[in-house]
Amino acid sequence: MFSVNTVWDNIDKVRGSGPVVLSITNYVVMNSTANALLSAGASPIMAHAKEELEELITIAGSLVLNIGTLSTGWIDSMRFAASIAAAKYKPVVLDPVGAGASRLRTETSISLLEEGCVSLVRGNASEIMALAGVGAMTRGVDSCNDSNEAETSAKTLARKYQCAVAVSGCVDLITDGEKVYNITGGSDYMPLVTGMGCIATAICGAHLAICEDSFAAAVSGMGCMAAAGGLAKVASNGPGTFAVHFIDALHNVTENDITRLVEVRSV
């Protein structure tokens, strides 16, 4: 049974252990995700050169694969990194940014899942539905669907690839193919700031590094995002100031904030 206590316990573990999170991520979010990981207590490495990936994966606690700005070279690096992570038993979180918007994005995401080494998929509802073969609508990298619409698709993916799936939305949905949990909290400013989903993936990567249970890591990672979003909203005047206060909130969030601002419930 997972609860807000699970969220706080894993936030505290991340802060106490400072796990190294290796990210092959997109140009748009490198700086913001690195700052978010630092504020949350983790240690980020951003890299995509194949020549150094094996060494870096050796010291990393987890690997984040984010397909936001794909190129042939980066796809090769992601596949190589995924294979090394599997060989070294390092958990992998996949962010299928824009899956469904183009064949390249969808096929790349599926090929990475087919490798059989992804522990957690974190995406919006349209991306998750597209990977499950459901005809979801997309607006580039934005979702046209609510998280609850993706429940069946998320369960299907989780069962097929034996991983946890986290679906971001006004209410986040987490599943391992059987259990389904909702995370409530956050802020309506979050969809208005570029890269918030990518930050969620990175934070889940940090939690995955300190938690053997990928489902619990997804619950606590998304719970951390919800708490920081709720905390930042109080201090913000709009999306611009929210982005700054959100980084502060990741660093400052307390157990009491988790209790006040986050609801974790089994569906």
Side-chain angles (χ1 to χ4, degrees), residues 1-15 40 174 181-184 203 207 210-211 215-228 250 253-255 257-259 261-265:
M1 186 71 177
F2 300 104
S3 68
V4 290
N5 293 328
T6 306
V7 177
W8 173 250
D9 287 347
N10 284 341
I11 287 173
D12 197 41
K13 287 179 184 177
V14 169
R15 289 173 174 176
I174 320 292
Y181 273 66
N182 283 158
I183 311 292
T184 304
I203 295 298
H207 285 239
I210 55 87
C211 184
F215 184 80
V219 169
S220 60
M222 298 308 292
C224 176
M225 290 292 297
L250 284 173
V253 66
T254 66
E255 185 174 9
D257 294 326
I258 302 294
T259 303
L261 300 170
V262 180
E263 181 184 359
V264 178
R265 64 182 180 88

Side-chain angles (χ1 to χ4, degrees), residues 4-262:
V4 290
N5 293 328
T6 306
V7 177
W8 173 250
D9 287 347
N10 284 341
I11 287 173
D12 197 41
K13 287 179 184 177
V14 169
R15 289 173 174 176
S17 61
V20 175
V21 179
L22 173 60
S23 297
I24 304 178
T25 190
N26 71 74
Y27 288 121
V28 178
V29 303
M30 282 187 185
N31 184 68
S32 56
T33 53
N35 282 335
L37 285 168
L38 286 169
S39 294
S43 179
I45 300 178
M46 306 292 167
H48 58 270
K50 288 178 71 174
E51 294 80 2
E52 65 173 348
L53 289 175
E54 185 167 2
E55 294 172 273
L56 295 178
I57 290 170
T58 300
I59 64 173
S62 64
L63 170 66
V64 173
L65 301 177
N66 178 307
I67 70 163
T69 50
L70 282 180
S71 68
T72 301
W74 280 38
I75 293 171
D76 290 343
S77 290
M78 287 182 183
R79 297 188 70 176
F80 178 73
S83 67
I84 297 298
K88 293 182 179 293
Y89 303 101
K90 299 297 177 77
V92 178
V93 53
L94 171 66
D95 190 330
V97 180
S102 75
R103 181 181 299 176
L104 179 65
R105 291 171 185 265
T106 306
E107 291 181 351
T108 297
S109 299
I110 291 173
S111 71
L112 290 167
L113 284 166
E114 294 287 354
E115 298 288 338
C117 61
V118 173
S119 304
L120 169 62
V121 181
R122 202 292 318 160
N124 65 39
S126 295
E127 292 161 351
I128 298 304
M129 292 167 73
L131 293 185
V134 177
M137 295 178 60
T138 65
R139 293 174 296 186
V141 299
D142 296 326
S143 181
C144 294
N145 302 92
D146 294 326
S147 58
N148 65 300
E149 297 177 72
E151 180 176 337
T152 299
S153 295
K155 285 181 175 179
T156 299
L157 284 181
R159 290 171 185 153
K160 182 174 182 179
Y161 297 110
Q162 298 184 319
C163 63
V165 177
V167 188
S168 299
C170 294
V171 176
D172 300 323
L173 183 148
I174 320 292
T175 185
D176 62 358
E178 301 298 332
K179 299 187 296 293
V180 178
Y181 273 66
N182 283 158
I183 311 292
T184 304
S187 165
D188 52 6
Y189 288 144
M190 295 175 89
L192 304 179
V193 178
T194 298
M196 290 302 298
C198 300
I199 289 174
T201 301
I203 295 298
C204 284
H207 285 239
L208 202 58
I210 55 87
C211 184
E212 293 183 1
D213 185 331
S214 58
F215 184 80
V219 169
S220 60
M222 298 308 292
C224 176
M225 290 292 297
L231 199 61
K233 182 178 181 179
V234 175
S236 304
N237 296 315
T241 52
F242 176 84
V244 175
H245 288 297
F246 183 83
I247 298 298
D248 289 343
L250 284 173
H251 181 73
N252 294 322
V253 66
T254 66
E255 185 174 9
N256 182 55
D257 294 326
I258 302 294
T259 303
R260 291 189 303 110
L261 300 170
V262 180

